[in-house]
Amino acid sequence: MQIVHSIAELRTQVTAWKRAGERVAFVPTMGNLHRGHLQLVARARELAPRTVASIFVNPLQFGPNEDYAGYPRTLDEDSRHLAAAGLDLLFAPSVAEMYPRPLATMTQVTVPELPAVLCGASRLGHFDGVTTVVSKLFNMVQPDLAVFGEKDWQQLVIIRRMAADLDLPVNIVGVPTVREADGLALSSRNGYLSAEQRAIAPTLHRTLQAAAQRLRAGERDYAALETQAQTNLAAAGFQPDYFEIRRPDDLCRPGGAETELRIFAAARLGRARLIDNLPVHLDPR
Ligand code: PAF
């Protein structure tokens, strides 16, 4: 596996592959890799003969009171995992390589509406940071396809919308969430949990499952389901941020006739802000 830190080196290699007619799949990450990320690489390898991943902790997507400074940076260990997973090229740029001018002076890419709900409602500017860095990475790597985890479902929907609106020639592929045996979705932020908090954490997934079960059983009082779930999470020791039932593709509130829904949850547990979501398929009435 090659590791490059500059855009120029990245372009030289990708151009050579493209000249040889080889398709390129891309996995953008912020590092501190776990099995979920390696699943994204495995999917990328199934879909294209050449695979590129990036590791870049993007300052533009962190709010002033968020964990940018303390976000775990584990490049050596991550590189070993990626090499063992069969990745061809790792792009690990510095902040100066990605943002050569002060952040406030750099052009940004904004998707309207979709970032106003769920995580975007409490993380103002977060998704502008994501769409800006992902656009830049797409322009640098020029991949045929890019792979994203479904744990960040809102991010996946926003990136699909961006790629469609800007006619980007990149196919966006979603990969189902990888979970621990007790249901906890894998996340780099799980490392912030104490042993006691780790024991509580799977309640987030169980609460989503319970709501999904009630929807499948015919319940349609979404507001009551959401309030009950938030109460249960608070009783378990979380500080719930949101628990919401929405449509999967446009993230709008359901009208009642939908057969495909998605339930989204975010809650704080100590230092960690955990997110998760579940699809719900309903039989037409
Ligand atoms: O999902 C992430 O890790 C990040 O938001 C991404 C897509 C790598 C952009 O920084």
Side-chain angles (χ1 to χ4, degrees):
M1 183 184 78
Q2 270 188 76
I3 305 180
V4 301
H5 301 282
S6 74
I7 301 164
E9 292 166 293
L10 167 71
R11 286 210 161 118
T12 303
Q13 180 57 81
V14 173
T15 305
W17 288 333
K18 296 226 156 180
R19 281 216 185 98
E22 291 179 311
R23 281 163 52 81
V24 175
F26 176 45
V27 182
T29 82
M30 297 206 302
N32 196 234
L33 305 180
H34 49 65
R35 282 184 292 119
H37 295 108
L38 299 179
Q39 195 63 43
L40 303 182
V41 173
R43 186 77 187 115
R45 292 190 70 215
E46 284 169 4
L47 296 172
R50 293 295 180 181
T51 48
V52 175
S54 61
I55 293 183
F56 179 62
V57 183
N58 173 31
L60 205 54
Q61 70 187 76
F62 288 80
N65 300 320
E66 294 185 356
D67 54 347
Y68 174 67
Y71 199 85
R73 287 151 171 95
T74 51
L75 185 60
D76 290 347
E77 202 182 329
D78 291 344
S79 315
R80 282 196 293 278
H81 288 309
L82 290 169
L87 186 83
D88 291 303
L89 187 148
L90 169 60
F91 177 49
S94 64
V95 172
E97 183 74 357
M98 290 297 287
Y99 300 116
R101 293 197 320 278
L103 288 183
T105 72
M106 297 283 306
T107 302
Q108 294 207 24
V109 176
T110 300
V111 171
E113 293 181 345
L114 294 171
V117 300
L118 301 172
C119 283
S122 56
R123 301 188 70 192
L124 294 180
H126 166 70
F127 286 112
D128 292 349
V130 171
T131 44
T132 299
V133 82
V134 171
S135 313
K136 285 168 69 67
L137 289 165
F138 281 2
N139 286 330
M140 293 167 188
V141 178
Q142 307 225 335
D144 296 283
L145 62 104
V147 185
F148 293 85
E150 291 185 353
K151 184 175 77 72
D152 295 293
W153 183 269
Q154 185 177 15
Q155 169 172 280
L156 177 62
V157 169
I158 290 172
I159 287 168
R160 277 193 210 287
R161 176 72 60 85
M162 174 186 84
D165 287 355
L166 298 180
D167 306 295
L168 303 181
V170 184
N171 184 17
I172 308 299
V173 177
V175 171
T177 303
V178 179
R179 299 180 181 282
E180 302 284 6
D182 59 12
L184 176 66
L186 297 196
S187 165
S188 303
R189 291 186 169 102
N190 292 350
Y192 296 155
L193 299 170
S194 67
E196 194 189 332
Q197 290 160 351
R198 174 64 189 83
I200 296 169
T203 304
L204 190 63
H205 179 235
R206 281 201 288 272
T207 309
L208 286 164
Q209 282 179 313
Q213 184 51 40
R214 286 172 66 178
L215 286 168
R216 282 193 292 266
E219 190 157 335
R220 290 295 177 274
D221 186 344
Y222 304 125
L225 274 172
E226 291 170 357
T227 307
Q228 180 67 60
Q230 298 225 24
T231 307
N232 293 350
L233 286 172
F238 290 87
Q239 283 173 271
D241 180 355
Y242 60 76
F243 191 100
E244 292 182 16
I245 300 160
R246 290 185 173 264
R247 301 200 306 218
D249 297 334
D250 60 10
L251 307 182
C252 286
R253 292 290 197 174
E258 290 81 2
T259 55
E260 302 299 333
L261 295 174
R262 203 136 189 136
I263 320 177
F264 299 88
R268 276 179 198 287
L269 194 53
R271 256 183 82 206
R273 182 177 179 280
L274 304 180
I275 62 171
D276 202 350
N277 66 86
L278 272 192
V280 188
H281 174 75
L282 303 173
D283 292 326
R285 293 191 161 185

